[in-house]
Amino acid sequence: MSETLFLTPGLPKAARYAELHPQVAALTVGEADRTANLANTAAALRQVFGFFWVGFYVVQGEELVLGPFQGPIACTRIRRGRGVCGTSWAEARTVLVPDVEAFPGHIACSSDSKSEIVVPIFKDGAVVAVLDVDSDKLNDFDQDDLVALEQLMGLAASWF
Ligand code: SME
């Protein structure tokens, strides 16, 4: 598998996700190491969409622990139910936050983060990790992101 992403210039967001998905699948299908696959997925999302921060938090006991990511340094541990990530874990659903300052309990790893989407990864019905994507623009995520990132995290489930 080539380590280069091929994206048609100028495509709308949903189409870029559609082009990206099979490339992430091809990049990860022959690789058994979870860290390698999470790392390349975070890098691919940041490379294609230019998000401020893209990364994973992995469930360890009663906490989420920082996993592979792209972007500025971030908080390392988040308790269940805390912040956007901990809420996504506790409620086992994607949480889309148009304005982080309006989300009660949001954990500000960076004051530059303005909007955020967190998507859980499920294994045998339980949340095993979350994908966290932050933007430095308000209201930067919509249903296109939600649908495509949930599909991508369906793929990530096989890495756990
Ligand atoms: N904002 C997140 C914390 C993680 S950082 O954004 C990377 C939250 O509220 O859970």
Side-chain angles (χ1 to χ4, degrees):
M1 171 64 201
S2 160
E3 276 82 38
T4 305
L5 294 174
F6 294 97
L7 274 295
T8 308
L11 286 180
K13 187 167 58 178
R16 276 189 287 159
Y17 276 119
E19 283 198 343
L20 179 63
H21 187 106
Q23 295 183 67
V24 172
L27 186 61
T28 55
V29 69
E31 177 51 65
D33 188 89
R34 177 192 307 157
T35 302
N37 290 334
L38 294 175
N40 260 342
T41 301
L45 285 169
R46 191 155 193 246
Q47 186 180 328
V48 170
F49 296 102
F51 294 126
F52 175 71
W53 195 93
V54 184
F56 293 91
Y57 283 90
V58 179
V59 172
Q60 281 186 26
E62 284 304 301
E63 292 180 316
L64 291 167
V65 180
L66 183 63
F69 71 96
Q70 294 272 312
I73 59 167
C75 41
T76 53
R77 288 175 187 268
I78 298 172
R79 292 196 69 80
R80 196 164 193 272
R82 302 290 301 274
V84 186
C85 293
T87 299
S88 173
W89 175 20
E91 298 183 3
R93 64 177 180 91
T94 297
V95 181
L96 196 161
V97 182
D99 177 358
V100 295
E101 298 211 352
F103 186 93
H106 169 257
I107 300 166
C109 292
S110 165
S111 59
D112 289 334
S113 178
K114 303 290 187 220
S115 57
E116 180 166 359
I117 185 168
V118 178
V119 182
I121 300 172
F122 295 94
K123 183 79 179 179
D124 300 326
V127 177
V128 289
V130 299
L131 167 71
D132 181 14
V133 186
D134 289 25
S135 172
D136 57 5
K137 301 178 198 70
L138 278 171
N139 204 15
D140 206 21
F141 302 104
D142 58 20
Q143 282 301 114
D144 287 345
D145 299 283
L146 184 148
V147 169
L149 292 173
E150 286 186 350
Q151 285 172 353
L152 204 54
M153 291 309 100
L155 184 67
S158 66
W159 308 334
F160 286 80

